[in-house]
Amino acid sequence: MLWIKALHIVFIASWFAGLFYLPRIFVNLAMVSPGSLAERERLLLMAGKLLRFTTILAVPALAFGAWLWLGYGIGRGPGNAWMHAKLTLVLLVIGYHHGCAVLLRKMRAGAPMRSHQWYRWFNEVPVLLLLAIVVLVVVKPF
């Protein structure tokens, strides 16, 4: 079980590293001058590669987490309401990841972009989600 837990943590950390950096690329895309097509294409390429890699990392992170929950019973049974809260937040992380993919698809299509300030605030969402998830797992407040 400890190997599964260790791998879960490593893949979660890697997945979140991508979720922390991808919106920073969006900030840079929002700040590209209208005539800088080469810079825009380079940033779109970087964002696409990072999204693909981050998606690949999410799969084992979720699989190892499911293994711990369903296979070893971590967070199951009475007195484990923290797990229900954690799983709700994990669904929000998956939604955020999907939202990044949708934003990137719109950027590639040339849709109007939001301001760089909006993407800066958007970039804080995974930090808050990770903080809440770690507190739930470590502290188990309920």
Side-chain angles (χ1 to χ4, degrees):
M1 176 185 69
L2 294 179
W3 281 101
I4 304 305
K5 192 181 287 188
L7 290 169
H8 177 59
I9 291 168
V10 167
F11 281 103
I12 289 293
S14 302
W15 180 22
F16 270 88
L19 292 179
F20 293 156
Y21 190 63
L22 185 59
R24 295 302 306 165
I25 296 175
F26 294 167
V27 169
N28 292 331
L29 274 162
M31 296 174 67
V32 169
S33 303
S36 300
L37 294 177
E39 182 181 6
R40 181 181 188 290
E41 289 304 314
R42 181 178 48 81
L43 289 169
L44 285 172
L45 180 67
M46 287 173 55
K49 287 182 177 186
L50 181 59
L51 177 65
R52 193 173 328 116
F53 187 62
T54 302
T55 302
I56 291 168
L57 292 168
V59 172
L62 294 168
F64 286 125
W67 191 349
L68 290 168
W69 180 44
L70 301 171
Y72 289 104
I74 293 177
R76 294 177 71 189
N80 287 302
W82 63 271
M83 180 58 90
H84 298 286
K86 177 197 171 197
L87 292 174
T88 301
L89 294 177
V90 169
L91 288 175
L92 290 175
V93 173
I94 294 168
Y96 181 87
H97 186 126
H98 176 72
C100 287
V102 169
L103 285 171
L104 181 56
R105 197 173 317 119
K106 288 179 179 179
M107 289 174 194
R108 283 179 173 154
M113 293 188 60
R114 298 176 185 264
S115 71
H116 67 92
Q117 290 95 350
W118 188 89
Y119 292 110
R120 288 178 197 278
W121 283 106
F122 181 72
N123 189 47
E124 301 306 320
V125 172
V127 175
L128 298 174
L129 288 170
L130 181 61
L131 175 65
I133 290 169
V134 169
V135 168
L136 285 169
V137 171
V138 173
V139 178
K140 295 178 179 54
F142 43 87

